[in-house]
Amino acid sequence: RGDRIFVSVLQPGGTRALHVLSLGDGRPVAKPLTARSRWTLDFGVWGDRVLVRESPEVLAVHHLRGGAFHRVWRVEAKSQFFSPVLLDGAVFALDGSDVVCFDASQGAERWRSGGEYRGGLAVRGDGVFVLRTDDVGNLHLVRRGGAAGIQRGKVFVGTYRTRGAPRVGEISRISVHTGNAFVLHESELRSESGRGFYASRVLRSPYQIGPSGGIFTY
């Protein structure tokens, strides 16, 4: 980011290290930040703030100053953290099946939305986009926003077939653009009456088993 490159490396012994390199010559500009985690660090950078998932249960924000990482705060999950995102003054993540927002400066919890959220999440403007299942197996792309995380709409994505809904933390990719969102997921979906379901399995051929996706308006 800017004139720096951030690289996460798995080291011998199971530790992970976040390296910061100069964009110009590739030289280290800071002492690596290390953590023992069975998951990737899933870091994010905004100015001199660096968000790191130090373990499945811990998120932390560091300031990068004087060639070193200085931890500002850390927070523990009620369950496990997935898909953390640092954007300006806020940190968003899935905590188990909840969507949670923290203040990026102090780590205080701003809001939490409980529910059967799945996969990953994406942020655009003041909106958080995430997949949510209901108790009959329907999947919706939900948008939450504002200081309190109020739901500002949802779009029907599809109904799960035999493979079932994705597990908590299972990766789905959401790419949000002006008025449209693209969703890539691993579980097969089918449409019911086409309501809000504009494109299905656009990345799959009839002879290929793999991810499926769709383009939706919001």
Side-chain angles (χ1 to χ4, degrees):
R1 186 174 180 90
D3 59 352
R4 299 168 296 183
I5 301 173
F6 292 78
V7 183
S8 177
V9 177
L10 176 61
Q11 302 183 126
T15 60
R16 297 181 184 272
L18 181 59
H19 295 263
V20 187
L21 310 176
S22 169
L23 181 62
D25 55 18
R27 294 182 180 180
V29 298
K31 182 179 179 180
L33 173 68
T34 60
R36 183 172 294 277
S37 176
R38 66 182 184 272
W39 290 356
T40 60
L41 297 180
D42 270 6
F43 62 91
V45 181
W46 193 274
D48 65 347
R49 293 176 182 165
V50 182
L51 168 69
V52 180
R53 181 175 60 179
E54 296 184 346
S55 76
E57 296 81 22
V58 175
L59 286 180
V61 165
H62 300 255
H63 277 168
L64 182 58
R65 295 194 307 265
F69 288 93
H70 303 272
R71 181 189 282 167
V72 179
W73 56 262
R74 69 189 296 274
V75 63
E76 295 187 4
K78 293 184 177 180
S79 177
Q80 291 182 328
F81 285 123
F82 305 98
S83 194
V85 177
L86 170 62
L87 182 67
D88 198 5
V91 171
F92 305 91
L94 284 170
D95 182 357
S97 59
D98 296 348
V99 180
V100 62
C101 174
F102 300 101
D103 182 277
S105 298
Q106 302 176 347
E109 186 176 304
R110 289 183 176 176
W111 56 264
R112 177 181 292 263
S113 175
E116 293 301 317
Y117 293 100
R118 294 290 186 269
L121 57 81
V123 180
R124 182 178 177 87
D126 68 344
V128 180
F129 294 78
V130 65
L131 298 174
R132 184 172 187 174
T133 60
D134 61 23
D135 55 4
V136 295
N138 294 319
L139 183 73
H140 296 87
L141 178 64
V142 176
R143 180 190 180 200
R144 313 199 73 92
I150 298 171
Q151 183 169 311
R152 294 183 172 177
K154 65 180 182 180
V155 176
F156 175 74
V157 174
T159 299
Y160 284 104
R161 282 182 172 175
T162 56
R163 291 185 62 188
R167 297 180 299 275
V168 173
E170 182 174 316
I171 294 299
S172 62
R173 300 177 186 175
I174 304 173
S175 179
V176 183
H177 307 274
T178 303
N180 292 280
F182 177 79
V183 178
L184 176 69
H185 46 82
E186 295 293 337
S187 299
E188 186 177 359
L189 294 169
R190 60 186 173 86
S191 174
E192 286 189 349
S193 74
R195 53 191 174 94
F197 193 64
Y198 295 93
S200 174
R201 289 178 286 173
V202 296
L203 296 185
R204 292 184 66 172
S205 72
Y207 311 102
Q208 178 183 5
I209 297 176
S212 57
I215 301 172
F216 310 93
T217 60
Y218 66 89

